[in-house]
Amino acid sequence: MNLFGTIRAPRELVFGAGQRHSLGRIAAKLGRRALVVSDARLTGDPEFLAMVAQLEEQGIAVAVDGSVLPDVPVELALASADAARDFAPDLVIGIGGGSCLDMAKCVAVLLAHGGRPQDYYGEHKVPGPVLPLIVIPTTAGTGSEVTPVAVLSDTERSLKVGISSPYLVPTASICDPDLTATCPPGLTAIAGADALTHAIEAFTAIRRDPVPGIAQERVFVGKNALSDHFALRAIALLWQGLEAACRDGADREARERVMLGATLAGLAFGVAGTAAAHAIQYPVGALTHTPHGAGVACLMPYVMQWNAPTIAAELGEIAEAMGVSGGGAVIPAIAALFERIGIPPTLKDLGLAEDRLDWVAEQSCGIARLIQNNPRPLDRDDMNRLVAAAYAGDRSALN
């Protein structure tokens, strides 16, 4: 095997309890006029106000945009950028969950290059560097703090859409697990399950021929030596910490493991990409309006079962990282963990109507960049089988 690896990461990534207090000094190196992007709930939080005060103590002018909504409607990102132009920021700071970070990324693109979000859908459509960008996650799941992706919702397309570009990797990321301490159990579970799915899909993605230039031609190149390192460590940390963090939000060690796992999973899938679980979740989420993390985690055991004949070696390594008896124990263990923390076990439980299964299969097959990243091919008939098994809760149908 030709040993090949690639990774993309922020220029500065700081992880640890209390590291939010470094925001002012990091920001002072990057700009003097900061647009802080968050949501209405967070903008009144004492921790948020303390971070804004840090910026002001460094002589940085601050404008706060607290308009972020879940799943970031395209129109909202455009309105946010338009509203910020009179302030003329030279730095964008996103504070909050994945939607806040994704909107900050999108606003940084629009302020630098103009146009509409739709102009940048897909891969490598951002023409150059965006405004300097600092992100501070308050949930542990999406990995947006380190990824080249911003996900938006487009009502015209009835699906989530993505902007994927290395220019979207933040300039600096501050990951402080103390900010997740008040995250409720349900959100902790959904976000953490999303992170575990990222790590598994990155670790089991297709391995492409590493021709020179592949990392410049593709945002997601498939599994490789460097992404595997981060993905496997993420799986171990999330396996160790997720259930404990859901059970006791004050368990600092569990919170640290989950947030570090989510960040490492982001580093992994930021170059390796995700695969079929994410492809199917896009149409499922559009129909059921359920959280993204719940959908991909619901699907993950079924996708792993489909892929099992192709990923036997990877399942063995995952088993070792998790401390279970062997590759055959991995899929039942992951499914049981997700069920214990409250992830719906079937698409039926997610609220998907049975008469929409064919539509979901058709739409999923159309998301080529993710389906092509799946280690075992999926044609339309295969996808029908996979979606039907996930609806019925019958992994044995995929053996």
Side-chain angles (χ1 to χ4, degrees), residues 99-333:
S99 292
C100 295
L101 308 193
D102 284 356
M103 181 147 132
K105 289 178 173 183
C106 190
V107 169
V109 171
L110 297 175
L111 289 173
H113 300 293
R116 307 175 304 151
Q118 292 92 324
D119 300 331
Y120 307 104
Y121 289 173
E123 292 196 357
H124 288 301
K125 298 293 179 61
V126 179
V130 305
L131 260 61
L133 180 65
I134 301 173
V135 297
I136 305 177
T138 59
T139 61
T142 70
S144 187
E145 63 270 16
V146 294
T147 68
V149 180
V151 178
L152 312 170
S153 56
D154 188 328
T155 53
E156 290 181 8
R157 300 189 177 206
S158 299
L159 288 172
K160 287 188 178 182
V161 292
I163 301 172
S164 302
S165 167
Y167 292 120
L168 287 185
V169 177
T171 313
S173 299
I174 302 169
C175 301
D176 186 334
D178 284 353
L179 290 173
T180 69
T182 57
C183 195
L187 181 55
T188 298
I190 289 168
D194 188 19
L196 185 50
T197 300
H198 290 154
I200 293 169
E201 288 212 292
F203 191 65
T204 58
I206 195 170
R207 190 189 297 276
R208 291 187 171 86
D209 183 18
V211 296
I214 187 173
Q216 287 68 53
E217 294 164 7
R218 289 179 172 269
V219 175
F220 303 121
V221 304
K223 74 186 266 97
N224 60 82
L226 288 173
S227 67
D228 280 358
H229 171 76
F230 290 110
L232 204 56
R233 183 63 180 146
I235 290 168
L237 286 164
L238 289 158
W239 176 256
Q240 293 162 8
L242 180 54
E243 187 172 1
C246 293
R247 189 170 55 243
D248 178 8
D251 185 336
R252 175 177 273 197
E253 185 176 345
R255 290 288 192 188
E256 289 174 337
R257 286 176 171 170
V258 171
M259 179 167 254
L260 184 56
T263 299
L264 297 182
L267 287 169
F269 92 83
V271 288
T274 54
H278 277 71
I280 302 167
Q281 163 55 20
Y282 278 118
V284 168
L287 291 175
T288 63
H289 305 289
T290 47
H292 168 82
V296 293
C298 167
L299 288 157
M300 192 72 258
Y302 303 99
V303 171
M304 293 175 77
Q305 194 72 52
W306 171 258
N307 290 332
T310 310
I311 61 170
E314 285 80 7
L315 288 174
E317 291 184 77
I318 292 172
E320 188 173 345
M322 290 168 51
V324 297
S325 58
V330 169
I331 299 171

Side-chain angles (χ1 to χ4, degrees), residues 36-50 52 64-68 95 100:
V36 182
V37 177
S38 191
D39 60 39
R41 183 189 67 81
L42 267 176
T43 53
D45 185 89
E47 292 290 355
F48 178 91
L49 297 174
V52 170
V64 174
D65 178 349
S67 67
V68 177
I95 302 176
C100 295

